[in-house]
Amino acid sequence: MKEHNFEGPIRETLKGVSRRDFMKFCGIMAVSMGLPLSAGTQIAEAVSNPRRPPVIWLHGQECTGCTESLLRTSHPSLEHLILDLISLDYHETLNAGAGHQAEAAFENSIKENAGKFIMVVEGSVPIKDGGIYCMIGGRPFADIVKETAAKAAAVIAIGSCASWGGVQSSEPNPTGATGVPQFLKGTTVVSIPGCPPNAYNFLSTVLYFLTFKKLPALDELGRPKFAYGRLIHENCERRPHFDAGRFAEQFGDEGHLQGYCLYKLGCKGPMTHANCPSILFCDAGSGAWPVGTGHPCFGCTEEGIGFTIPLHTTSDIGIVTPAAEHAPIQTQRGTGISKGSAALLGGIAGAAIGAGAMVAKRLGDKDKGD
Amino acid sequence: MKIKRRDFLKGLAGSAVLAMASPAVATSSEGKRLPDALGILYDATLCVGCQVCMVACKKANAMPVEHSGSERLWDNPADLSASTLNIIKKYENGTAKNKDLEIDGYAFVKRHCMHCVDAACVSACPASALTKELKTGIVSYNKNACIGCRYCQVTCPFNIPKFEWDNPFPKIVKCQLCSHLLAKGQIPACCGECPTGASLFGPVKDLLEEAERRQKMTAGKYYEFPVSDMSSTKIQIHKAKNYMSHIYGKSEGGGTQILMLSGVPFDKLGLPVLPDHSYTAIAENIQHTLYKGMILPIVAFGGLIFLVKRAEKNKKS
C-alpha cells in the first residue's frame, strides 16, 4: 500500500480538488498517451510532488494561438495546470508582472533551476539580419533561445512555427523564420506541430516527462509518436468514403452534404501526420475537428504541406491501399485493334511480302544469268 | 520408288521405338506430393474481401503500388502483374446479394502462384531459373539465371508468371510463398495478416486434411477454424457454408500446393478446369522418351545419312 501514501501531498497541493477527480485526470492523461491505466498512479505521484517543475515559455514569431488553445483545455484546466501541476515561471501572455519585473523572474528562474526546467518555445526564430526581426527586452529572440536552451532539462517546440517555421517560413520568408529544432541543431527538441496544436499532445508530453523523467518515443522529426505516428487519413472518420470512391466534388454539393470524403476539395489528410481524428479539439464532442465540420484538412502540422501546398490542391497519397471495390474475375485488357492500326499493319505486311517476292525473283534471274 | 527390304526393316524398328514411348506417358514423372510441402488453403467462404492480404504482400515483398483507371488514389490492380503478386477478385451474379452463392450471389477469390506439384514453368524453363525447392516444394525464381524467354508465361495453366515489360533489365515476377519470411521463421504475409483465416498457411498434408474436414461440415452450423497458420492456436468460430464438393488443387493438373474451397463453382471464380494428370508429365515423357539414350536421334540421323548417300549414288548412276 506504499504507493498510495501520496494522498497527503495531493490534498495539500490540490486544495478543492477531490482525490477522485484528480485520479480520474491522471487516468485520462495516461490513456491519451496510450499508456496503461496503471500509469495514472505514477502520474499522480509525479504531479503531487511538492516542488512543481518549473516551465519557461518563450514567445518568438507567432500569433499566440498555441497558448490560446492551451487556455481552452478542460483536463487539466489551465489554472489546474499552472497552479498545481507546473510552476509557469515565465510566459509573456500569462505573466502577472510585466517589463523589468517579468524579465527578472525569467533570469531568476533560469539561475535557480539551471538544468531542471522545461523550456517551451512558441513561434519561429528569425535568423536573418542578426535576428533583429524579433527582439525581446532589447535582445534578439535567437540569442535568448540559444542561451536558455543550453540550461534547460528539455526543450519543447509547440506549434508549427516553432516546430518547422510555420506560416512565416513560407516563401519568400523575409525574416529567415526557422523552427527551433533546425535552429538548435544537435539539441533534442520535442516538436508538437499544429496550427494550433492539440493542447493535449503538449500536456501529455509534459506529464510523460514529469512522470518517467524521460521524453516519450519520438519520430525522426522529434514528434511524439503517440500523437504523430499516423497519417490523418489512417484514422479519418470519412475514410470509408474514400475507399469506396465517394467524394464531395465541391462545397455544398450532394456529396458534401452526405459527409463524403473531402479529398477532392484539397484534403491533406493523406500526407499529414497528426492524431486530430482520434482526439478531436476543444472537448466539444464528435466532429469537432476540421474534417468533421466539412472542411478539408489543411496539413497544418506537416512541413512542406501546410502553408506550402495551396488549400484546395489535392495531395499525394502517403500510404496507398486498395479501394473498397474489387477487380472482376475476367479483366478486359485493351480495346482490340483499331481500324487505323490494322490498316498500317496490313500495309507493312504487304510491303514485306512484296519485297520478299521481288528479292526471290531477282535471285532467280541471277541464277538464270549465271 | 522401290523400297529395299533393308530400309523397310529399319523403318519398322524406328516406329517400334516410338510406339514403345506412348504407354509410358501417363505414369512416369507425374508429380507425387513432397512429404514436407508447404502451401496455403484459401477458403473463399471465409474471405471478406478486405484485401489486407494484398497490402501485406506488397509490404513484405516491397512491391510498388499499381493504379488502374483514371484516378490514381488507390492501389487497385485489375489483375496480377509485375507489381502485384496477389489479388482478391470478386465474382458477381444477378443481384449479387448473397455471399458464396452462384446465382444472385457474390464471392471472392484470391489469385497467386499455385505452387504446382508438377510445375509447368519449372519444366519449361531452359535456364533452370525457376526451380521447385526439394523440401518445401515452393516454386522459386532466380533472376540471375533467367534469360527472359518467357516460356514460363506461356506454359503456366494459371497465367501466373508476369514479366516486367517496362524494365530494361526485366525479371519474371510471381509469388514465392514469402520464402524470405519462412527463412526467418515467419509465415507468408497474406496468411499472417488474414483476419478470418481465409488464407491459412501450413504443410500441404495438414491443409488437405483440414479441407476435407471442412467439406464434412453441416452448412449453417458453427465450427472452429484455425487462423493464419495450421500450427498456431488462434481459432475463430464461423458458420460453415455450403462447400463445393471438390477441393481445387487436390488433383488439378497433377495437384497444386495451394488448395481452395468455395461455395461457388471454381470455373466461375476464373480458375481453369484442368484434367487430373499433369500436362508437364506428358510433355516431359514425350521429350524424355524421344531423347532417351540418344537412340532415336541417332537412328534418325543414320536414316538421313543413308538417304543422302543413296541420293548421291542415284545421281552418279
Side-chain angles (χ1 to χ4, degrees):
Chain A
M1 282 287 133
K2 212 177 175 187
E3 71 244 42
H4 287 301
N5 64 8
F6 52 82
E7 211 174 316
I10 292 178
R11 284 257 164 73
E12 229 167 83
T13 35
L14 307 182
K15 293 205 175 67
V17 178
S18 73
R19 181 179 178 280
R20 192 184 153 78
D21 283 350
F22 176 73
M23 292 310 289
K24 217 199 272 175
F25 150 72
C26 293
I28 289 170
M29 291 317 288
V31 169
S32 81
M33 284 185 274
L35 297 171
L37 255 181
S38 59
T41 330
Q42 277 170 280
I43 294 175
E45 266 174 44
V47 299
S48 56
N49 191 322
R51 179 74 186 97
R52 292 170 297 150
V55 174
I56 304 279
W57 189 299
L58 301 177
H59 293 253
Q61 292 194 124
E62 42 83 349
C63 68
T64 319
C66 305
T67 297
E68 290 293 340
S69 82
L70 186 65
L71 296 182
R72 277 150 189 79
T73 55
S74 66
H75 53 277
S77 61
L78 184 82
E79 62 273 22
H80 185 184
L81 174 76
I82 63 173
L83 299 177
D84 306 326
L85 303 181
I86 60 170
S87 166
L88 192 59
D89 290 0
Y90 183 81
H91 187 300
E92 284 155 20
T93 314
L94 303 173
N95 276 347
H100 293 298
Q101 204 185 358
E103 292 307 307
F106 173 63
E107 298 292 339
N108 268 345
S109 175
I110 290 178
K111 206 177 286 171
E112 254 177 56
N113 304 310
K116 279 181 265 173
F117 65 91
I118 299 172
M119 168 176 154
V120 182
V121 185
E122 182 178 348
S124 63
V125 185
I127 53 169
K128 219 181 222 174
D129 302 326
I132 57 163
Y133 299 111
C134 185
M135 308 280 280
I136 295 158
R139 296 169 64 212
F141 180 61
D143 293 356
I144 299 174
V145 169
K146 202 164 263 175
E147 281 168 27
T148 316
K151 293 172 190 158
V155 183
I156 300 177
I158 188 168
S160 291
C161 302
S163 298
W164 46 266
V167 61
Q168 59 273 23
S169 70
S170 298
E171 285 293 306
N173 193 1
T175 64
T178 310
V180 176
Q182 297 82 43
F183 178 66
L184 294 175
K185 261 200 186 89
T187 313
T188 307
V189 178
V190 184
S191 308
I192 315 284
C195 194
N198 199 308
Y200 292 113
N201 292 341
F202 169 75
L203 290 171
S204 302
T205 306
V206 171
L207 286 180
Y208 189 100
F209 182 73
L210 297 181
T211 305
F212 300 112
K213 310 284 182 260
K214 61 172 188 186
L215 294 171
L218 305 175
D219 67 9
E220 69 281 7
L221 295 173
R223 304 176 293 193
K225 281 186 181 164
F226 71 82
Y228 299 91
R230 284 195 177 160
L231 293 168
I232 294 216
H233 192 56
E234 287 180 85
N235 285 327
C236 182
E237 63 205 31
R238 299 193 185 210
R239 176 62 183 271
H241 293 301
F242 175 89
D243 287 343
R246 293 188 292 260
F247 297 101
E249 303 283 342
Q250 49 180 297
F251 285 98
D253 73 358
E254 189 53 30
H256 196 224
L257 296 178
Q258 293 290 325
Y260 286 177
C261 174
L262 303 166
Y263 176 77
K264 291 190 175 173
L265 296 178
C267 184
K268 308 295 186 295
M271 289 298 280
T272 304
H273 292 87
N275 56 355
C276 311
S278 314
I279 68 169
L280 310 173
F281 279 90
C282 297
D283 311 321
S286 68
W289 68 297
V291 170
T293 65
H295 195 281
C297 165
F298 170 54
C300 72
T301 62
E302 200 81 27
E303 182 173 13
I305 308 281
F307 309 111
T308 309
I309 301 180
L311 185 53
H312 299 300
T313 299
T314 50
S315 70
D316 295 337
I317 311 284
I319 302 170
V320 186
T321 52
E325 210 178 53
H326 299 84
I329 297 291
Q330 299 297 346
T331 324
Q332 202 68 44
R333 277 209 166 141
T335 49
I337 191 162
S338 74
K339 273 183 191 163
S341 44
L344 183 68
L345 280 175
I348 293 171
I353 291 168
M358 284 312 286
V359 168
K361 208 175 149 204
R362 287 218 183 124
L363 280 175
D365 289 349
K366 211 180 163 199
D367 272 1
K368 269 180 211 162
D370 290 344
Chain B
M1 187 179 126
K2 224 178 95 187
I3 298 172
K4 283 187 194 159
R5 184 175 171 274
R6 191 180 152 82
D7 293 346
F8 173 76
L9 287 176
K10 256 187 205 162
L12 204 66
S15 38
V17 174
L18 268 178
M20 262 154 58
S22 35
V25 162
T27 50
S28 79
S29 82
E30 185 139 86
K32 293 244 164 58
R33 287 189 188 277
L34 296 166
D36 297 321
L38 296 174
I40 293 173
L41 171 62
Y42 172 76
D43 188 335
T45 69
L46 296 181
C47 181
V48 293
C50 71
Q51 304 177 85
V52 73
C53 51
M54 293 168 65
V55 177
C57 175
K58 291 230 164 166
K59 216 168 163 186
N61 294 289
M63 302 300 281
V65 299
E66 187 179 353
H67 306 289
S68 55
S70 54
E71 307 215 68
R72 300 172 60 80
L73 301 181
W74 306 281
D75 181 12
N76 54 347
D79 211 332
L80 292 177
S81 73
S83 40
T84 301
L85 299 172
N86 156 23
I87 191 168
I88 295 288
K89 296 188 147 204
K90 192 181 185 187
Y91 161 79
E92 282 179 299
N93 174 278
T95 60
K97 286 265 185 267
N98 308 300
K99 189 163 188 291
D100 301 310
L101 282 190
E102 186 185 352
I103 309 296
D104 284 343
Y106 69 96
F108 299 109
V109 64
K110 178 166 168 255
R111 298 303 308 275
H112 50 70
C113 175
M114 302 290 282
H115 297 279
C116 303
V117 170
D118 200 1
C121 57
V122 172
S123 169
C125 183
S128 294
L130 284 157
T131 47
K132 195 160 173 70
E133 276 172 30
L134 293 174
K135 191 161 181 290
T136 61
I138 294 170
V139 177
S140 42
Y141 169 73
N142 173 8
K143 69 169 193 286
N144 297 326
C146 179
I147 55 170
C149 69
R150 305 187 297 280
Y151 282 4
C152 52
Q153 285 199 290
V154 179
T155 191
C156 177
F158 302 100
N159 192 13
I160 298 299
K162 299 294 168 192
F163 188 68
E164 292 177 326
W165 296 99
D166 52 352
N167 184 349
F169 301 101
K171 295 191 296 287
I172 287 289
V173 178
K174 72 174 237 0
C175 157
Q176 298 182 59
L177 212 67
C178 281
S179 38
H180 62 298
L181 296 185
L182 292 175
K184 281 190 264 175
Q186 295 167 1
I187 64 169
C190 57
C191 301
E193 296 291 325
C194 181
T196 63
S199 285
L200 181 67
F201 172 76
V204 177
K205 59 177 192 301
D206 297 358
L207 294 176
L208 263 171
E209 256 173 49
E210 172 66 17
E212 276 155 11
R213 179 184 78 97
R214 290 184 192 184
Q215 289 204 310
K216 284 182 204 131
M217 292 173 178
T218 316
K221 280 196 172 175
Y222 285 88
Y223 294 92
E224 288 187 342
F225 291 82
V227 177
S228 295
D229 184 355
M230 272 311 279
S231 64
S232 87
T233 49
K234 270 194 280 177
I235 293 286
Q236 277 187 16
I237 306 220
H238 294 292
K239 199 190 260 184
K241 294 278 179 68
N242 256 322
Y243 285 109
M244 288 281 119
S245 58
H246 178 61
I247 301 169
Y248 193 91
K250 191 178 178 185
S251 58
E252 267 74 12
T256 61
Q257 289 181 204
I258 307 300
L259 305 169
M260 293 200 190
L261 290 173
S262 164
V264 171
F266 292 101
D267 60 320
K268 293 284 188 294
L269 299 179
L271 292 159
V273 180
L274 297 175
D276 284 355
H277 62 79
S278 131
Y279 289 123
T280 315
I282 297 175
E284 280 188 4
N285 268 315
I286 292 173
Q287 295 273 332
H288 293 177
T289 316
L290 283 178
Y291 290 98
K292 198 169 192 179
M294 289 304 276
I295 292 168
L296 272 184
I298 288 167
V299 168
F301 190 60
L304 281 172
I305 291 174
F306 169 75
L307 285 174
V308 168
K309 282 204 163 163
R310 195 182 61 175
E312 274 185 358
K313 216 159 92 185
N314 288 349
K315 213 176 173 182
K316 272 179 199 165
S317 65

